[in-house]
Amino acid sequence: MPADIKTREDVYSLVCNFYKKVRKDPEIGHFFNEVIRDWDAHIEKLTDFWESNLFFKALYKENPQKVHVKVDKENNQEIASYHFGIWLNLWFETIDQLFSGELANRAKNNARKMSSHLYLKIFQARESKA
């Protein structure tokens, strides 16, 4: 059985392996590949986000809601809950391949909550523009 997520290096490994899958995914890869120009910087930023999220460190300072609303707008408001489902499945699959334990489960639960919240914010932004 794999060990739990314990360090920034573990979080970095999770994020890197996850985004390798996302970038290749035929249904959601384009949302990322068409927007992200510097993947190394993006991986570092998301490692900060998940390290903050899992270890309660204040490393991540940006607003993910604004970023996701912008990406949705740039994609003709085509991001659907279905896409978040694919994202979650890839996240869970990556965690299960690499880790198990309390923080691995927290990473799954937090991603589930976050995906619901972000999709709601995307939907609300569409409604406010209608």
Side-chain angles (χ1 to χ4, degrees):
M1 181 182 279
D4 204 356
I5 301 168
K6 295 179 182 156
T7 64
R8 178 177 178 84
E9 290 74 26
D10 291 340
V11 175
Y12 181 82
S13 176
L14 171 59
V15 170
C16 280
N17 282 287
F18 169 67
Y19 276 100
K20 284 178 188 173
K21 294 176 186 182
V22 166
R23 292 177 77 178
K24 293 177 187 174
D25 188 89
E27 305 223 41
I28 66 170
H30 68 280
F31 291 123
F32 298 86
N33 293 322
E34 292 173 8
V35 171
I36 299 165
R37 299 289 172 238
D38 183 347
W39 274 97
D40 291 336
H42 189 69
I43 296 296
E44 283 298 323
K45 185 186 309 184
L46 291 179
T47 298
D48 286 348
F49 174 83
W50 282 104
E51 186 178 11
S52 298
N53 191 286
L54 296 173
F55 300 128
F56 307 111
K57 294 184 175 184
L59 301 172
Y60 185 80
K61 307 280 191 223
E62 297 184 33
N63 183 338
Q65 294 172 21
K66 287 182 183 178
V67 172
H68 287 81
V69 167
K70 181 177 183 257
V71 170
D72 181 59
K73 200 177 295 183
E74 291 171 354
N75 282 277
N76 300 313
Q77 298 181 325
E78 293 178 0
I79 297 176
S81 60
Y82 169 77
H83 298 113
F84 278 95
I86 294 169
W87 183 92
L88 272 177
N89 285 334
L90 292 173
W91 182 249
F92 287 13
E93 176 185 292
T94 307
I95 291 170
D96 289 342
Q97 288 172 342
L98 300 173
F99 303 101
S100 68
E102 181 183 341
L103 284 177
N105 287 331
R106 184 184 304 161
K108 290 178 186 179
N109 290 333
N110 289 357
R112 188 180 293 113
K113 291 175 194 172
M114 181 180 64
S115 68
S116 297
H117 178 76
L118 288 174
Y119 183 68
L120 177 63
K121 292 300 180 184
I122 286 171
F123 187 76
Q124 287 173 338
R126 290 177 188 171
E127 290 296 309
S128 68
K129 304 291 183 207

